[in-house]
């Protein structure tokens, strides 16, 4: 069924020796819309995936949450599509659709039986070219309420849900576009106006600030005809400058405590790392896995398995357009002092900085990663999103092989160097979430 | 995200699906909104949506079925586009529905213990061996079956399959790991009371079925503390049996190549003693004669978690297709009535949904949402409006057609990955559904009429005999709930449900 495929070698070979590519065709319309088409006839499904190269990192202070609120409004009808019909038409065709927003980009996608691709393209074009023809204050008002409930559901009413907002403000200086979350603040959502919607759309939602990938059981020539017909009339806009913001190093290691209605104390430590597809990203991602992925991963084994003072451990490197953050998050067992967790994390980081991980540790992580990489490409949705991601972050949709090659080339010394360069002894942010009234459990400075 | 719709699994998978399903010749005509007059001029942007051409058909290769001498059924489904394999070992009789009444949590605990030491490797050695192969192996217990799921590149499948066989058939259940996992479970339970959704789910199932019923009981501190090695070993010996199990292999799996591997891995699996009954179905509780609202106080909650429902229907119901379409229209798609009402019209919720959990017996029908605190009572009232309306008002042809097509035409999407296919076949196996079901799925879905829909709505949606659970800030929502008058309001405590 789905299958992308790729020239994975069929002979028994280490996972690291496999080649992966996503055969595709690219072209650009005169108005600047970049188009990627990848045929995959293994299952009669297809995905249309539009990336607008704008996310919450393009918002202004006082207008936070706007890119995401705007994402919601994009489903509420456009010039030739009455309110509700975007979803009605797609559901009647057997399609599902959704969108997502992060700091750097907003995506919109449909997954459907392959006979509905033309319909999806028409719908995407109508809102790219005609959203404001159907804009109204009531649409904004309605989606504002929905988004505020999304925020309540995913943040306020979620144990530890305020971690993300706390972290953003501590990691980035006030005014930096990553210093707020994509969901935005309740106050800013309340103050959003229709004029803001219109201005945001005019500035960012233009064909020359977007790319579209169409993947699945389609004919490339046919898709080219449809895309040309439906999108060519939409005028290009002034080019958007990508923000280039010099980011000072963290001036000190800071400790922050939040009380929450939770039973288990939780510690989060975050270091500044490196940008997406930058030189050290693969080593940082691998370092995160060496610490917490799998039962023998260093932090998991120590805190969850051996000492049994933690409920879970996780680590990840969140790399974006402007910067990266390296996260370690440990949820402790009841009444465990977070100083003890913090000391263990620091010890394990120092240990890797002093002595590289073993080759077997590295192989476990990389081999698991390769399987996951292939698995993510089993769906047309995953493949379409990957093509847009490579185009946006690496300026090359055909980046799968290079992406994997970074991991194949890693040595234990690279992982050690990443720990030295970004973590060991570097300033970072320490956030303790503790049960209400139990602030004594929080990690403290100068313990 | 634009939305999150909590999907309630109908017998685990969304809807069972069909390989080789074809669009009927009656290929759904474009709905009126999609009809397009004449071909527009080449350059002009058309003001009406393009019509869709005939839906594609799916051609899945035939499943090759074998049975080992020990009774293990094996299903091979070849998908050669990628060198990967999804393997699903499904074991009926080892699910939560098969637990002794006083041992809630035992089935899932046993499943979790499988890979904590097996076939001569300890917990860490097993995990390292799988990681080195780049394989993912997970074990879990559903209501009606336990599962082991393996995903691995084909070149590493033989080695990974041997580890999977050790885990399923030769687990050691080391005492140290039993003690460790029990402690982890107790920690999870301690945390469960932090989460409004978990409290709501526990409260709802126990109030609908009662705490003695397999669908109404859940792990507590007491049942968790009772978990021990002997109980785990006994549950494994009784439930994990080759004759109750099916191994489904999907991917680059040529049966001629794979059969020797499978026989080597699983041929020596033998069960002793007697196994569980696979035919007994839990009784359906008597219908309530009124509706009661249970308010569970969660001071300071930013939203109220709402659950409304009652016992539903078993998976083998002849009304399966009509229910699928009816529930899609009511609460299982983005444009469903519940989501449109609570989210799009009123903006009170991020999403609202409904679903039937179809099991060997009658699992629950549940309508659900998390709503802003000051709209708790209004939301409950709107839920009841929709639950009543679907019983009393005929649906429009356009609404019916959209729901039918949405259910039928998503079939290819539900069979996209090797894991999707394994899950669909697993679902059929669990509920003993004839594979011919798959071939007629689209046709039978498209044949559901407005009359069918109204009939099943009347039979299987019973707003007047419902349990309503609201987990929220009592000081802010109680008065409104009482005034809304949808049923007697009873205040209960979190500790009665998460205990």
């Amino acid at each position: 069924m789905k299958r992308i495929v790729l020239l994975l070698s069929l002979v028994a070979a280490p996972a690291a020796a496999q080649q992966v590519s996503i055969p595709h065709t690219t072209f650009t319309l005169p108005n600047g819309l970049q188009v990627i088409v990848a045929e995959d006839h293994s299952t009669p499904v297809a995905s249309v995936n539009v990336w607008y190269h704008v996310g919450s990192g393009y918002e202004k202070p006082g207008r936070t949450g706007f890119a995401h609120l705007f994402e919601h409004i994009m489903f509420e009808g456009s010039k030739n599509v009455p309110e509700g019909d975007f979803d009605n038409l797609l559901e009647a065709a057997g399609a599902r659709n959704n969108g997502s927003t992060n700091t750097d980009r907003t995506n919109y996608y449909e997954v459907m039986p392959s006979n509905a691709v033309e319909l999806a393209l028409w719908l995407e074009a109508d809102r790219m070219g005609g959203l404001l023809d159907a804009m109204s204050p009531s649409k904004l008002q309605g989606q504002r309420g929905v988004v505020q409930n999304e925020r309540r559901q995913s943040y306020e009413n979620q144990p530890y849900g305020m971690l993300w907002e706390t972290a953003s403000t501590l990691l980035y200086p006030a005014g930096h576009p990553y210093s707020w979350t994509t969901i935005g603040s309740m106050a800013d959502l309340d103050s959003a106006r229709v004029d803001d919607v219109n201005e945001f759309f005019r500035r960012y939602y233009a064909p020359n600030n977007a790319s579209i990938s169409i993947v699945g059981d389609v004919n490339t020539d046919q898709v080219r005809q449809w895309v040309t017909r439906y999108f060519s009339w939409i005028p290009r806009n002034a080019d958007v400058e990508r923000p280039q913001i010099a980011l000072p190093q963290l001036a000190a290691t800071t400790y922050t405590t939040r009380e929450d209605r939770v039973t288990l104390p939780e510690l989060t430590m975050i270091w500044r790392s490196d940008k997406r597809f930058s030189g050290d990203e693969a080593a940082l991602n691998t370092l995160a896995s060496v610490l917490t992925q799998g039962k023998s991963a260093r932090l998991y084994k120590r805190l969850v398995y051996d000492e049994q003072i933690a409920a879970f451990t996780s680590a990840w490197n969140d790399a974006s357009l402007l910067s990266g953050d390296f996260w370690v998050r440990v949820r402790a067992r009841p009444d465990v002092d977070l100083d003890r967790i913090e000391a263990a994390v620091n010890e394990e980081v120092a240990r890797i900085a002093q002595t590289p991980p073993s080759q077997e540790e590295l192989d476990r992580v990389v081999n698991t990663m390769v399987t996951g990489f292939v698995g993510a490409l089993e769906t047309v949705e995953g493949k379409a999103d990957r093509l847009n991601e490579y185009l946006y972050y690496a300026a090359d949709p055909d980046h799968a092989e290079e992406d994997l090659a970074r991991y194949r080339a890693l040595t234990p010394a690279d992982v050690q160097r990443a720990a030295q360069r970004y973590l060991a002894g570097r300033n970072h942010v320490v956030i303790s979430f503790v049960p209400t009234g139990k602030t004594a459990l929080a990690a403290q400075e100068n313990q | 995200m634009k939305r999150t719709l909590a999907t309630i699994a109908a017998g685990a998978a969304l809807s069972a699906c069909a390989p080789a399903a074809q669009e009927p010749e009656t290929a759904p005509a474009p709905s009126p909104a999609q009809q397009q007059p004449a071909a527009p001029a080449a350059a002009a942007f058309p003001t009406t949506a393009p019509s869709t051409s005939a839906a594609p058909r799916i051609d899945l290769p035939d499943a090759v079925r074998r049975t080992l001498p020990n009774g293990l059924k094996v299903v091979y489904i070849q998908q050669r586009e990628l060198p990967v394999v999804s393997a699903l070992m499904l074991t009926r009789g080892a699910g939560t529905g098969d637990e002794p009444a006083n041992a809630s949590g035992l089935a899932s605990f046993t499943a979790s213990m499988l890979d904590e030491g097996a076939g001569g490797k300890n917990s860490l050695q097993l995990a390292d061996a799988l990681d080195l192969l780049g394989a993912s192996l997970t074990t879990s217990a559903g209501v009606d079956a336990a599962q082991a799921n393996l995903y691995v590149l084909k070149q590493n499948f033989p080695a990974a399959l041997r580890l999977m066989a050790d885990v399923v058939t030769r687990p050691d259940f080391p005492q140290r790991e039993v003690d460790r996992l029990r402690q982890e479970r107790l920690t999870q339970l301690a945390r469960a009371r932090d989460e409004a959704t978990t409290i709501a789910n526990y409260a709802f199932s126990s109030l609908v079925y009662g705490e003695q019923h397999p669908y109404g009981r859940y792990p507590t501190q007491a049942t968790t503390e009772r978990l021990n090695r002997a109980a785990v070993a006994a549950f494994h010996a009784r439930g994990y049996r080759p004759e109750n199990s099916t191994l489904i292999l999907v991917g680059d799996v040529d049966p001629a190549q794979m059969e020797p591997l499978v026989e080597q891995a699983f041929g020596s699996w033998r069960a002793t003693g007697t196994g569980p009954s696979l035919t007994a179905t839990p009784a359906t509780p008597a219908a309530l004669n009124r509706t009661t609202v249970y308010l569970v106080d969660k001071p300071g909650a930013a939203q109220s978690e709402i659950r409304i429902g009652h016992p539903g229907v078993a998976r083998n119901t002849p009304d399966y297709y009509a229910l699928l379409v009816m529930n899609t229209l009511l609460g299982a798609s983005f444009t469903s009535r519940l989501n449109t009402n609570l989210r799009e019209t009123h903006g009170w919720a991020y999403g609202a949904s409904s679903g039937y959990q179809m099991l060997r017996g009658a699992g629950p029908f549940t309508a659900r949402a998390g709503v802003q605190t000051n709209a708790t009572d209004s939301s409950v009232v709107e839920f009841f409006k929709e639950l009543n309306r679907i019983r009393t008002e005929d649906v429009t042809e356009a609404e019916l057609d959209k729901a039918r097509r949405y259910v039928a035409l998503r079939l290819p999407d539900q069979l996209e990955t090797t894991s999707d296919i394994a899950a669909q076949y697993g679902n059929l196996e669990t509920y003993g559904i004839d594979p011919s079901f798959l071939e007629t799925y689209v046709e039978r879905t498209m044949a559901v009429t407005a009359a069918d829909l109204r009939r099943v709505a009347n039979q299987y949606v019973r707003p007047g005999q419902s349990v309503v659970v609201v987990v929220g800030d009592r000081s802010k929502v109680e008065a409104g709930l009482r005034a809304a008058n949808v049923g007697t309001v009873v205040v209960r405590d979190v500790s009665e449900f998460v205990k």
Side-chain angles (χ1 to χ4, degrees):
Chain A
M1 314 256 342
K2 221 46 312 11
R3 296 344 150 151
I4 8 195
V5 185
L6 336 200
L7 333 159
L8 291 193
S9 82
L10 293 180
V11 300
Q18 292 170 340
Q19 304 280 305
V20 176
S21 78
I22 308 174
H24 65 278
T25 302
T26 58
F27 58 94
T28 303
L29 296 184
N31 61 13
L33 179 66
Q34 294 174 280
V35 185
I36 313 161
V37 187
E39 294 193 28
D40 170 359
H41 302 286
S42 54
T43 305
V45 295
S47 183
V48 167
N49 182 310
V50 183
W51 273 40
Y52 288 97
H53 302 167
V54 57
S56 62
Y58 296 75
E59 293 162 352
K60 303 171 194 154
R63 285 285 180 275
T64 70
F66 207 79
H68 171 253
L69 173 59
F70 187 86
E71 178 211 315
H72 280 241
I73 292 168
M74 283 282 277
F75 293 90
E76 298 298 305
S78 48
K79 184 174 184 182
N80 297 300
V81 181
E83 192 170 346
D85 273 6
F86 189 92
D87 292 294
N88 284 327
L89 289 168
L90 286 170
E91 285 189 10
R96 61 187 167 85
N97 71 88
N98 210 336
S100 72
T101 308
N102 68 22
T103 52
D104 298 338
R105 101 289 181 267
T106 315
N107 81 345
Y108 299 88
Y109 63 87
E110 295 81 32
V111 178
M112 64 216 125
S114 48
N115 64 318
V117 170
E118 189 185 5
L119 170 65
L121 290 170
W122 181 82
L123 286 165
E124 290 290 358
D126 200 64
R127 61 183 177 180
M128 185 186 289
L131 187 84
L132 297 190
D133 292 295
M135 196 50 214
S136 73
S138 71
K139 286 183 185 176
L140 171 62
Q141 188 54 32
Q143 291 308 305
R144 187 205 319 271
V146 171
V147 168
Q148 290 185 329
N149 278 308
E150 179 178 358
R151 189 184 147 101
R152 290 185 187 101
Q153 181 167 311
S154 308
Y155 296 76
E156 272 98 349
N157 214 34
Q158 204 54 245
Y160 317 97
M162 301 313 289
L163 170 64
W164 317 106
E165 198 164 274
T166 305
S168 301
T169 58
L170 294 169
L171 276 169
Y172 294 96
H176 188 282
Y178 290 175
S179 67
W180 51 81
T181 56
T182 55
I183 195 80
S185 76
M186 284 293 191
D188 286 358
L189 289 168
D190 275 330
S191 64
R193 302 159 312 193
V194 170
D195 283 353
D196 298 322
V197 175
N198 294 347
E199 185 199 325
F200 197 81
F201 181 81
R202 289 197 191 99
R203 176 134 186 235
Y204 295 112
Y205 280 67
N208 52 309
N209 198 41
S211 54
I212 178 167
S213 64
I214 300 101
V215 175
D217 182 26
V218 295
N219 173 283
T220 303
D221 290 337
Q222 174 71 79
V223 168
R224 185 194 297 261
Q225 280 176 31
W226 285 333
V227 170
T228 304
R229 178 172 176 215
Y230 293 140
F231 288 89
S232 288
W233 67 277
I234 305 170
R236 77 184 295 142
N237 202 350
D239 287 339
V240 173
E241 273 189 36
R242 305 284 151 230
Q244 297 290 336
I245 295 168
L247 198 56
Q249 289 301 308
L250 291 167
T253 294
T254 58
Y255 289 78
T256 302
T257 301
R258 302 260 332 219
E259 292 177 79
D260 199 357
R261 293 186 301 271
V262 296
T263 306
L264 309 180
E266 186 181 280
L267 182 77
T268 304
M269 300 167 70
I270 317 165
W271 289 260
R272 192 69 57 70
S273 63
D274 206 359
K275 299 175 190 179
R276 192 63 166 277
F277 291 118
S278 62
D280 291 318
E281 190 199 2
L284 286 159
N285 291 340
T286 303
L287 173 60
S289 297
V290 165
L291 288 172
T292 60
Q293 180 199 291
K295 276 189 189 142
S296 292
R298 295 182 175 208
L299 278 176
Y300 178 88
K301 179 170 185 304
R302 173 165 175 181
L303 297 176
V304 180
Y305 190 86
D306 287 338
E307 296 181 18
Q308 304 189 12
I309 58 172
F312 82 74
T313 61
S314 66
W316 69 95
N317 180 48
D318 182 12
S320 303
L321 209 55
L322 300 179
S323 74
D325 312 316
F326 189 98
W327 295 61
V328 173
R329 192 177 178 191
V330 179
R331 188 166 297 158
R333 290 236 167 127
D335 297 321
V336 170
D337 196 312
L338 294 178
D339 279 334
R340 195 173 162 198
I341 303 286
E342 187 199 8
V345 173
N346 283 329
E347 275 174 33
E348 294 306 327
V349 165
R351 206 185 303 277
I352 294 178
Q354 282 151 17
T355 311
S358 70
Q359 185 64 45
E360 200 205 289
E361 274 181 291
L362 190 62
D363 289 346
R364 288 199 308 256
V365 165
V366 171
N367 290 353
T368 301
M369 202 274 303
V370 170
T371 305
F373 190 95
V374 174
L377 297 181
E378 269 207 72
T379 64
V380 289
E381 178 184 342
K383 203 162 140 187
D385 206 53
R386 190 60 64 90
L387 287 165
N388 260 323
E389 180 186 345
Y390 287 146
L391 175 66
Y392 183 51
Y393 285 107
D396 174 15
D398 195 9
H399 200 68
E401 177 54 29
E402 287 87 339
D403 192 0
L404 265 189
R406 301 185 299 163
Y407 293 91
R408 276 193 216 113
L410 276 185
T411 65
D414 294 328
V415 178
Q416 177 190 22
R417 207 154 38 237
Q420 289 168 348
R421 187 172 297 167
Y422 297 95
L423 271 63
R426 306 290 170 181
N427 291 336
H428 57 283
V429 164
V430 182
I431 303 170
S432 298
F433 269 73
V434 296
T436 306
K438 293 195 173 179
T439 52
L441 293 177
Q444 314 284 343
E445 203 161 359
N446 303 321
Q447 49 181 290
Chain B
M1 299 284 279
K2 170 192 173 193
R3 87 297 292 270
T4 313
L5 269 184
T7 44
I8 301 178
L14 279 172
S15 52
C17 289
Q22 338 182 346
E23 257 320 280
E25 275 167 60
T26 69
S31 62
Q34 283 176 272
Q35 274 169 2
Q36 189 180 333
F45 184 79
T47 57
T48 55
S51 55
T52 52
S53 53
R57 50 175 294 159
I58 311 177
D59 291 309
L60 276 186
D62 291 335
V64 173
R65 293 171 187 276
R66 297 279 187 268
T67 303
L68 265 48
N70 62 4
L72 175 68
K73 286 177 274 184
V74 187
V75 183
Y76 301 90
I77 300 164
Q78 262 187 288
Q79 294 293 342
R80 307 204 44 185
E81 287 86 356
L82 260 192
V84 299
V85 179
S86 280
L88 165 60
M89 175 66 84
L90 190 99
T91 300
R92 298 165 68 205
T96 61
D98 303 295
E99 292 167 342
N102 64 349
S104 290
L106 179 58
S108 116
F109 193 76
T110 302
S112 294
M113 279 300 306
L114 293 178
D115 65 354
E116 296 291 345
K121 290 190 170 62
N122 69 27
S123 177
L124 295 176
Q125 288 167 336
L126 262 176
D128 289 355
L130 287 161
D131 286 346
L132 202 53
L133 295 169
S136 90
L137 176 65
T138 59
T139 52
S140 62
V143 178
D144 293 310
Q147 295 194 356
N149 283 276
L150 173 70
Y151 186 79
V152 64
L153 299 180
K154 185 201 177 186
Q155 66 197 34
N156 292 330
F157 175 70
L161 184 72
R162 286 192 291 274
L163 294 172
M164 184 190 197
D166 285 343
V167 158
V168 172
T169 70
R170 287 180 286 277
D172 297 329
F173 306 127
Q175 184 64 48
R176 176 186 188 278
E177 308 296 350
V178 170
D179 294 341
R180 182 177 62 81
L181 275 197
R182 184 199 303 115
Q183 211 48 46
E184 281 189 6
R185 294 279 165 125
L186 288 168
T187 304
Q188 281 168 18
L189 258 184
R191 170 174 155 58
R193 74 194 71 210
D194 299 343
E195 291 181 335
T197 49
T198 305
I199 299 165
N201 294 340
Y202 280 14
F204 179 74
S205 54
S206 77
L207 290 164
V208 168
Y209 288 95
E211 292 185 16
Q212 299 311 309
H213 193 282
Y215 303 162
R217 60 177 188 243
Y218 44 79
T220 66
Q221 189 172 336
T223 66
T224 303
E225 279 167 355
R226 277 201 294 274
L227 294 169
N228 61 50
R229 188 180 186 282
V232 168
F235 189 78
H236 180 266
R238 180 163 184 267
Y240 285 77
R241 313 174 72 86
E243 71 272 22
N244 294 350
S245 299
T246 305
L247 177 64
I248 299 164
L249 300 177
V250 188
D252 193 356
V253 288
D254 175 1
Q257 251 179 31
M258 293 293 153
E259 277 181 49
L261 296 177
V262 170
E263 278 169 30
Q264 194 184 8
F266 290 98
S268 61
W269 187 10
R270 296 277 182 279
T272 54
T274 43
S277 160
L278 298 185
T279 51
T281 58
T284 306
L288 305 165
N289 54 19
R290 65 196 170 103
T291 287
T292 304
V293 180
Y294 296 91
L295 172 56
V296 183
D297 192 17
K298 187 109 175 37
Q303 285 190 325
S304 297
E305 280 293 329
I306 298 174
R307 304 287 180 274
I308 301 172
H310 45 71
V313 59
R315 175 61 186 84
N316 65 3
T317 172
D319 289 324
Y320 180 79
Y321 304 93
L323 278 161
L324 214 52
V325 175
M326 186 277 289
N327 184 59
T328 295
L329 192 157
L330 175 65
S333 85
F334 188 75
T335 69
S336 70
R337 290 176 173 191
L338 285 172
N339 196 58
T340 300
N341 183 329
L342 286 150
R343 169 182 159 126
E344 293 295 301
T345 303
H346 289 108
W348 292 332
Y350 183 36
S353 62
S354 66
Y356 289 87
Q357 189 183 7
M358 296 187 190
L359 303 169
R360 211 151 63 187
F365 164 75
T366 315
R368 64 175 69 202
V371 305
Q372 64 193 55
T373 298
N374 66 4
T376 302
D377 48 356
S378 315
S379 297
V380 171
V381 167
E382 291 301 320
F383 263 112
F384 275 87
K385 268 189 200 162
E386 296 299 351
L387 298 178
N388 282 305
R389 182 159 77 101
I390 198 147
R391 292 159 51 92
T392 54
E393 243 180 49
D394 281 329
V395 297
T396 66
E397 197 53 42
E399 231 184 337
L400 172 65
D401 195 46
K402 180 180 64 179
R404 279 193 305 230
R405 291 165 53 92
Y406 185 61
V407 172
L409 298 180
R410 276 188 309 149
L411 188 62
D413 185 30
Q414 293 175 320
L415 292 166
E416 202 184 3
T417 68
T418 50
S419 307
D420 290 340
I421 296 168
Q424 295 292 353
Y425 275 81
N427 196 36
L428 296 182
E429 191 66 29
T430 302
Y431 296 102
I433 295 157
D434 192 295
S436 69
F437 160 86
L438 302 169
E439 281 139 40
T440 57
Y441 173 83
V442 171
E443 201 180 329
R444 295 181 72 170
T445 301
M446 294 306 296
V448 172
T449 66
D452 294 333
L453 199 149
R454 186 148 169 195
R455 178 180 60 76
V456 296
N458 271 282
Q459 191 170 348
Y460 302 110
V461 180
R462 299 188 299 274
Q465 302 170 333
S466 291
V467 164
V468 180
V469 169
V470 176
V471 179
D473 189 332
R474 178 185 176 188
S475 69
K476 294 182 181 148
V477 305
E478 182 175 1
L481 281 174
R482 291 192 187 280
N485 209 23
V486 297
T488 311
V489 175
V490 178
V491 177
R492 303 288 295 268
D493 194 80
V494 173
S495 63
E496 295 176 68
F497 304 110
V498 183
K499 54 189 179 187

